[in-house]
Amino acid sequence: QVQLVESGGGLVQAGGSLRLSCAASINIFSINAMGWYRQATGKARELVARITSGGSTNYADFVKGRFTISRDKAKNSVYLQMNSLKPEDTAVYYCNAFVGRYPDYWGQGTQVTVSS
């Protein structure tokens, strides 16, 4: 079992920044990959950014150059730095952990709202 606790969401104006945090209950380097997903109202959940245990990252095209995923081994945490936010980034953001087999694990989600 892996527990994930997100924090850092909120309301921000377009062009602003937010930093999301995801604290895991186990050593994050034992997790194959951790990622951030988002789900806007009425839309499917989609990948935003992902980092593997080896440090490889990948990003959705719609956030490249604006968002950065990172991690802190000492805190067993993964972060999503979001800059130049747009109203279309408004969604519930979820932290995900894949330990090499399903089921994977999800946090409870944190709301991000970007006003125009």
Side-chain angles (χ1 to χ4, degrees):
Q1 279 279 10
V2 180
Q3 279 81 48
L4 303 171
V5 179
E6 300 114 332
S7 60
L11 172 65
V12 65
Q13 288 188 331
S17 298
L18 282 174
R19 186 191 192 214
L20 305 183
S21 300
C22 173
S25 60
I26 65 170
N27 182 346
I28 60 172
F29 280 70
S30 68
I31 299 173
N32 290 57
M34 293 191 70
W36 288 96
Y37 289 71
R38 71 185 189 187
Q39 187 166 20
T41 303
K43 295 188 177 181
R45 192 171 296 190
E46 58 186 358
L47 174 68
V48 176
R50 192 168 178 260
I51 185 165
T52 68
S53 57
S56 298
T57 59
N58 62 287
Y59 296 89
D61 286 344
F62 52 78
V63 301
K64 283 182 180 177
R66 299 189 298 126
F67 292 10
T68 303
I69 190 169
S70 62
R71 59 187 178 178
D72 185 329
K73 179 183 179 181
K75 296 182 178 179
N76 283 331
S77 293
V78 174
Y79 306 97
L80 185 67
Q81 178 66 45
M82 306 186 294
N83 298 327
S84 302
L85 283 161
K86 305 175 182 180
E88 51 264 44
D89 293 318
T90 295
V92 178
Y93 284 70
Y94 296 92
C95 182
N96 172 270
F98 178 65
V99 297
R101 63 186 183 280
Y102 290 99
D104 49 357
Y105 299 93
W106 295 90
Q108 80 284 359
T110 185
Q111 176 71 45
V112 171
T113 303
V114 184
S115 63
S116 57

